[in-house]
Amino acid sequence: MESTSQATAGHAVFETVIGFMGIAWSEAGLTRLCLPQRNRDAVERRLLHHAGSAASSAQPQWVIELIAAIKAYASGEDTAFSDVPVDLTGVDDFRLAIYDAARKLAFGETTTYGELAKRAGHAGLARETGAALGANPVPLVIPCHRILAAGGKIGGFSAPGGSTTKEKMLAMEGVRVGPPPPAQVSFGF
């Protein structure tokens, strides 16, 4: 059991090889994850705006392990975040189902918004699935970057950098997204 002297809530900003990232947590789990930005202050502002918790020098063991895993991911390592506790207090059942289905996607595995909706038990709700993922408070841990639009198109991404960030994250996982290569020139008969 964790010591009661450890912080049960807080946030941390840390540097990775792809920029500054940040997380916030509660006693129940991760509440916010900020994807890479160029400076520490921008991440700090986003965390304070959303999380409202002070930075903490005392971090639960799972937070220490998560920061190390995020740094490994940013360095290009195949990293799983499926065991990270997530606090989704206040999130509706639809979004919880979508997030749960998304968490089952492995490193480098993608699907479409429509297929994810179907896997979550909400077939036909691709747009609503996209909206739910756009409100995802913990991207990377709930890997919304792995969800593509129909036809393998990149789709939207609400994190800083938009779809360019999404494409870079997928490329780090070995996934190529974009227009398909041009069709071969057909024979003339």
Side-chain angles (χ1 to χ4, degrees):
M1 180 146 190
E2 277 185 26
S3 164
T4 53
S5 65
Q6 274 195 319
T8 55
H11 78 264
V13 177
F14 48 92
E15 191 169 11
T16 72
V17 297
I18 57 175
F20 288 95
M21 296 178 72
I23 60 171
W25 64 91
S26 70
E27 190 171 347
L30 186 67
T31 58
R32 176 88 31 200
L33 190 149
C34 294
L35 292 174
Q37 295 200 17
R38 290 184 185 193
N39 69 63
R40 179 180 296 276
D41 291 341
V43 176
E44 186 80 26
R45 278 192 305 276
R46 288 190 66 203
L47 285 173
L48 288 173
H49 174 74
H50 290 290
S53 62
S56 176
S57 57
Q59 299 171 344
Q61 186 60 36
W62 70 266
V63 168
I64 294 165
E65 291 168 5
L66 175 58
I67 291 170
I70 291 170
K71 288 179 178 183
Y73 175 87
S75 296
E77 293 181 34
D78 180 342
T79 309
F81 297 101
S82 56
D83 292 338
V84 174
V86 178
D87 180 355
L88 296 173
T89 302
V91 173
D92 62 76
D93 289 342
F94 174 77
R95 283 174 44 206
L96 288 173
I98 296 301
Y99 295 165
D100 184 58
R103 283 194 87 180
K104 291 179 170 91
L105 294 170
F107 185 92
E109 179 185 1
T110 61
T111 191
T112 63
Y113 294 103
E115 178 59 28
L116 187 69
K118 184 176 169 186
R119 291 180 190 181
H122 296 284
L125 298 180
R127 286 181 194 262
E128 293 83 351
T129 296
L133 293 169
N136 176 9
V138 290
L140 190 57
V141 171
I142 297 174
C144 52
H145 65 284
R146 296 179 183 149
I147 319 303
L148 304 173
K153 295 184 178 118
I154 192 77
F157 200 56
S158 59
S163 57
T164 301
T165 297
K166 182 176 183 175
E167 195 165 5
K168 285 178 182 176
M169 290 174 73
L170 287 169
M172 288 171 49
E173 296 184 25
V175 176
R176 183 187 178 279
V177 181
Q184 284 185 318
V185 176
S186 62
F187 293 106
F189 56 91

